[in-house]
Amino acid sequence: MGATKTTLFTKEQNEIANMAKALAHPARIAILQYLVKKNSCVCGDLVEELGLAQATTSQHLKELKLAGIIQGNIEGASVCYCINPMVWKEYKALFNSFFGDVTLDGGKCC
């Protein structure tokens, strides 16, 4: 598949697409839900909580961290993760704007 022509789209459209890509796996959604529920740094509990292999969990954490939605600190031999509140607010605002701009009147379409 060819490269996406991101220059054809607005900054907001590209941001929403990048955010959606970061969230586009059920394991990542589960990680975020767990971190939000804990509302604190989580060290090492995620593998047990998700039931996935350590390497798989680490890969999903890496993607979320690259997207900036989580942050991590190394404490001894383990890495602790939590939600990045500033980025979380950005995601929330962009998605609220995206979904809020749509008014569906229940009319027939297809």
Side-chain angles (χ1 to χ4, degrees), residues 43-56:
C43 305
D45 299 10
L46 290 167
V47 172
E48 192 173 305
E49 178 70 22
L50 295 174
L52 298 174
Q54 174 66 52
T56 303

Side-chain angles (χ1 to χ4, degrees), residues 17-30:
N18 286 332
M19 289 177 182
K21 183 179 176 184
L23 299 175
H25 194 286
R28 294 182 198 152
I29 298 299

Side-chain angles (χ1 to χ4, degrees), residues 10-68:
T10 67
K11 181 180 183 230
E12 184 178 80
Q13 289 167 333
N14 282 298
E15 286 177 354
I16 291 171
N18 286 332
M19 289 177 182
K21 183 179 176 184
L23 299 175
H25 194 286
R28 294 182 198 152
I29 298 299
I31 289 168
L32 292 172
Q33 288 174 324
Y34 184 71
L35 292 175
V36 166
K37 183 175 83 176
K38 286 291 191 183
N39 197 23
S40 64
C41 283
V42 174
C43 305
D45 299 10
L46 290 167
V47 172
E48 192 173 305
E49 178 70 22
L50 295 174
L52 298 174
Q54 174 66 52
T56 303
T57 302
S58 293
Q59 185 61 40
H60 289 301
L61 288 165
K62 178 183 172 188
E63 293 299 323
L64 290 169
K65 193 168 180 190
L66 282 172

Side-chain angles (χ1 to χ4, degrees), residues 103-110:
T103 305
L104 302 174
D105 60 6
K108 294 187 178 184
C109 175
C110 301

Side-chain angles (χ1 to χ4, degrees), residues 60-106:
H60 289 301
L61 288 165
K62 178 183 172 188
E63 293 299 323
L64 290 169
K65 193 168 180 190
L66 282 172
I69 196 161
I70 65 171
Q71 46 195 6
N73 296 314
I74 298 173
E75 292 186 12
S78 65
V79 180
C80 297
Y81 293 97
C82 62
I83 298 292
N84 181 333
M86 290 179 61
V87 175
W88 187 267
K89 288 176 187 173
E90 289 174 27
Y91 272 46
K92 184 176 179 180
L94 273 173
F95 280 118
N96 282 342
S97 172
F98 176 68
F99 288 111
D101 290 343
V102 178
T103 305
L104 302 174
D105 60 6

